Amino acid sequence: MNQNKEINLERLKKGLIKGDRVSIARALTLIENDENGGLLLISELIGYTGKAFVLGVTGPPGVGKSTLISRLIERYRKLGLRVGVLAIDPSSPISGGAFLGDRIRMLEHTADKGVYIRSMASRGWQGGLSESALKAVYLLDSAGIDVIIIETVGAGQTDIDVSLISDIVVVVLMPNSGDIIQLSKAGMMEVGDIFVVNKADIQGSDKFVSSIISVLQNSKGKKDVFSVSSTTGTGIEKLFEKLEMERNALKKKGKEILKTEKTAILLKMLARKKILEVLEEKISLGVPEELAAKVVSGKITLSRAVRILSS
Ligand SMILES: Nc1nc2c(ncn2[C@@H]2O[C@H](COP(=O)(O)OP(=O)(O)OP(=O)(O)O)[C@@H](O)[C@H]2O)c(=O)[nH]1
Ligand SMILES: [Mg+2]
């Protein structure tokens, strides 16, 4: 059994490194279903990663994220780059399936072998979506995919922190996509490195762009705002130039540094989960009550009890 598993992993690894699509799909299923197997595979793949540019695209529902991504895919493909898209749907399992299907259909690139699109719904993934998406990034990176785009609906209700796993986060908004104070409350203004006001072709766009710029002036660091129309193509070229600048700046950092940075993030996620598991186990065994009794009777201090419980 064990040997079989190892042979499969070896085969999967070989397939992935060749960029084989069936192997990518199998590997994604493996990380979805088998935590240990997934980690084993990722450990084997780390050496082949560090090349991909990870672009997070987030924003309220319906602002045109998928349509914009479709445009960006076009541009990257013109440069001969391979693109992977992870469309993450944190919505309830009930509406999940069909809704996500609609979103994916926005992308006209499914026949292109240089484009790999995968949806990840909230159901089923071990360890939550942030962890699963990061693991998926390792798989796609090792499979030679140059640009990995992660689409998430962001509006406070999402359980994925896209900025954790992306090199650059693009926040997409549209004219009248809600009150800016509301967007700030949802963490949207902090999470973005680049802001795109999509649907420049509709009324009220210029006014909205100005108000976003003035809100961002108060934030740390300089953040660019682009006004685009993903349906007509206006403004896409300028945005793409900026994204290419970011991708090239990242490449200069070097693969080893990028690998180490990503792996530190994965390690933190896994360790946090592990520590919580250990604590939950202690709680289920009644350890807090035992320690509390010792604290009450003066045998140990409260700080000592905390140390015991948390180690
Ligand atoms: N007028 C106009 N409509 C646009 C533009 N971009 C997208 N749309 C339309 O807006 C609607 C939503 O577009 P999507 O790309 O699915 O938006 P999304 O943000 O991916 O939506 P969710 O994934 O459901 O959150 C579609 O009907 C698009 O055709 C644009 O630049 N101008
Ligand atoms: Mg979409």
Side-chain angles (χ1 to χ4, degrees), residues 21-78:
R21 298 169 75 88
V22 177
S23 302
I24 297 175
R26 286 214 178 112
L28 282 163
T29 307
L30 178 77
I31 60 165
E32 183 177 356
N33 298 323
D34 173 358
E35 174 153 31
N36 287 328
L39 288 183
L40 221 57
L41 178 64
I42 287 168
S43 302
E44 291 279 318
L45 293 173
I46 288 179
Y48 299 88
T49 64
K51 292 168 294 203
F53 174 52
V54 185
L55 182 63
V57 176
T58 190
V63 292
K65 298 178 293 295
S66 301
T67 316
L68 175 69
I69 290 170
S70 211
R71 286 278 176 185
L72 296 178
I73 293 173
E74 247 169 62
R75 296 296 293 107
Y76 285 122
R77 293 298 292 142
K78 268 195 197 151

Side-chain angles (χ1 to χ4, degrees), residues 163-174:
S163 64
L164 263 184
I165 50 178
S166 308
D167 296 318
I168 291 290
V169 175
V170 172
V171 169
V172 186
L173 302 168
M174 67 179 218

Side-chain angles (χ1 to χ4, degrees), residues 61-67 103 106 151 198-199 201 229-231:
V63 292
K65 298 178 293 295
S66 301
T67 316
R103 292 175 54 197
M106 293 303 301
E151 178 184 342
N198 190 36
K199 309 200 186 183
D201 51 296
S229 167
S230 300
T231 44

Side-chain angles (χ1 to χ4, degrees), residues 1-13:
M1 177 73 193
N2 230 346
Q3 208 185 356
N4 251 343
K5 225 178 185 173
E6 274 165 31
I7 290 167
N8 281 342
L9 276 187
E10 194 52 39
R11 213 190 312 148
L12 255 185
K13 179 183 160 186

Side-chain angles (χ1 to χ4, degrees), residues 6 22 25 35 43 48 65 81 87 148 178 215 236 249 265 272 274 278 291 296:
E6 274 165 31
V22 177
E35 174 153 31
S43 302
Y48 299 88
K65 298 178 293 295
L81 298 174
I148 302 167
V215 168
I236 297 289
I265 294 166
R272 214 169 254 139
K274 194 62 150 195
V278 170
L291 289 170
V296 170

Side-chain angles (χ1 to χ4, degrees), residues 21 49 82 90 172-173 226 255 262 266-267 306 308:
R21 298 169 75 88
T49 64
R82 297 179 67 201
V172 186
L173 302 168
F226 294 86
K255 277 186 214 169
K262 281 236 154 53
L266 181 61
L267 264 177
V306 173
I308 295 171

